[in-house]
Amino acid sequence: MPTLYLLPNLLDNSQDHHAFFPSTVDTIVVTLGGLIAETEKEARRYLKRFVFPSPKTFRDVPILLLNEHTTILQKEELMETIVKSPAPWGLISDCGLACLADPGADIVLQAKKKGIQIEACVGPSSIVLALMLSGLGGQRFIFHGYLPREEKLLIEKLQQMTTNPQKEYTHLFIETPYRNQKLFKQICTTLSHQSWLSIACGLTSDHEWVKTKRIAQWKKEQPLFDKLPAVFVVRND
């Protein structure tokens, strides 16, 4: 039976993967018949971490791209490649876990329809880590991914988080690092002074910091984090 492994990636490429991945990942990667990734550059960087049995090297592993530019026909061809492969294939995101805030979920669904066995390996997730470290509770939460960039739509989205039934949930969302400051200012302008905001920045890196404060407290501080990936966590109680 053909197999597709959902493999973890690091949140910070400067770290040693052995500190974050189970040892089974090292065993699996060197047996792969190919790797599905968002970009070839990140895929090669990923594969370079592992020790392949000679004479095979990380350069010999075929890579197929899966991103916002991948067409339906290309996805179908990708599926056929996995089905016909005598060796298992792997799927990674550019960072973190596959299928969370990346296009991998669609491929997993297609693979299930074709009878491909799916195996998932654990690893770091900025979404999960931010929720755990925020102290804002994970009993009921919503991950929104990227919020709208247009100011009017962004304000509407933030306001929706303060109304029932969404008010009773913890909300998580992300932004492109260079837009972090702008989003932070809009959050402080739109949400109630009593709303909680946690910012988890540079998770697992040497520059990691996580702060949880009410909006009234955040307005007295101007955090500088426009070059580091961050996860925003909001709760309105």
Side-chain angles (χ1 to χ4, degrees), residues 5-226:
Y5 285 101
L6 309 182
L7 300 169
N9 204 345
L10 294 172
L11 300 179
D12 174 33
N13 280 314
S14 68
Q15 304 297 318
D16 182 353
H17 76 275
H18 293 101
F20 298 93
F21 299 171
S23 59
T24 51
V25 174
D26 287 75
T27 304
I28 292 168
V29 170
V30 298
T31 68
L32 294 178
L35 185 65
I36 303 167
E38 294 181 70
T39 62
E40 182 163 359
K41 178 181 178 181
E42 291 301 323
R44 291 297 174 204
R45 182 188 306 200
Y46 181 84
L47 292 168
K48 192 175 181 179
R49 295 180 175 278
F50 303 93
V51 180
F52 289 84
S54 182
K56 185 178 180 180
T57 74
F58 72 96
R59 296 185 180 88
D60 298 320
V61 180
I63 293 172
L64 292 178
L65 299 185
L66 175 66
N67 51 46
E68 66 271 19
H69 305 296
T70 305
T71 66
I72 294 177
L73 178 59
Q74 289 171 328
K75 290 180 181 179
E76 292 175 353
E77 293 172 345
L78 191 155
M79 283 292 97
E80 288 303 312
T81 299
I82 298 174
V83 169
K84 295 178 181 179
S85 175
W89 272 66
L91 171 66
I92 62 168
S93 176
D94 272 355
C95 67
L97 297 181
C99 304
L100 298 183
D102 89 336
D106 185 43
I107 285 299
V108 171
L109 181 59
Q110 295 303 317
K112 285 181 174 293
K113 291 179 180 179
K114 289 187 175 293
I116 296 172
Q117 182 173 335
I118 310 295
E119 300 285 347
C121 298
V122 299
S125 165
S126 61
I127 301 167
V128 175
L129 288 173
L131 185 61
M132 292 169 63
L133 294 169
S134 70
L136 297 181
Q139 187 69 21
R140 289 183 293 180
F141 65 92
I142 302 173
F143 175 62
H144 298 273
Y146 291 92
L147 299 188
R149 288 194 174 185
E150 184 181 333
E151 183 175 341
K152 179 182 178 182
L153 297 178
L154 173 58
I155 293 173
E156 290 177 355
K157 186 68 174 180
L158 290 171
Q159 289 175 336
Q160 287 174 6
M161 299 178 192
T162 67
T163 60
N164 288 326
Q166 288 198 21
K167 182 179 180 179
E168 299 177 0
Y169 285 76
T170 300
H171 300 269
L172 296 91
F173 43 91
I174 54 178
E175 182 53 280
T176 305
Y178 76 89
R179 294 177 58 86
N180 280 342
Q181 301 289 153
K182 184 176 181 179
L183 177 57
F184 169 75
K185 291 179 181 178
Q186 191 63 69
I187 293 170
C188 290
T189 300
T190 305
L191 296 184
S192 163
H193 288 188
Q194 291 302 305
S195 294
W196 287 101
L197 169 63
S198 180
I199 301 176
C201 194
L203 290 170
T204 73
S205 76
D206 295 335
H207 307 288
E208 175 182 309
W209 58 265
V210 181
K211 295 181 180 180
T212 302
K213 303 178 182 182
R214 293 195 186 272
I215 294 296
Q217 296 171 300
W218 275 116
K219 286 185 174 182
K220 300 175 183 178
E221 182 178 342
Q222 293 297 322
L224 297 176
F225 59 118
D226 57 354

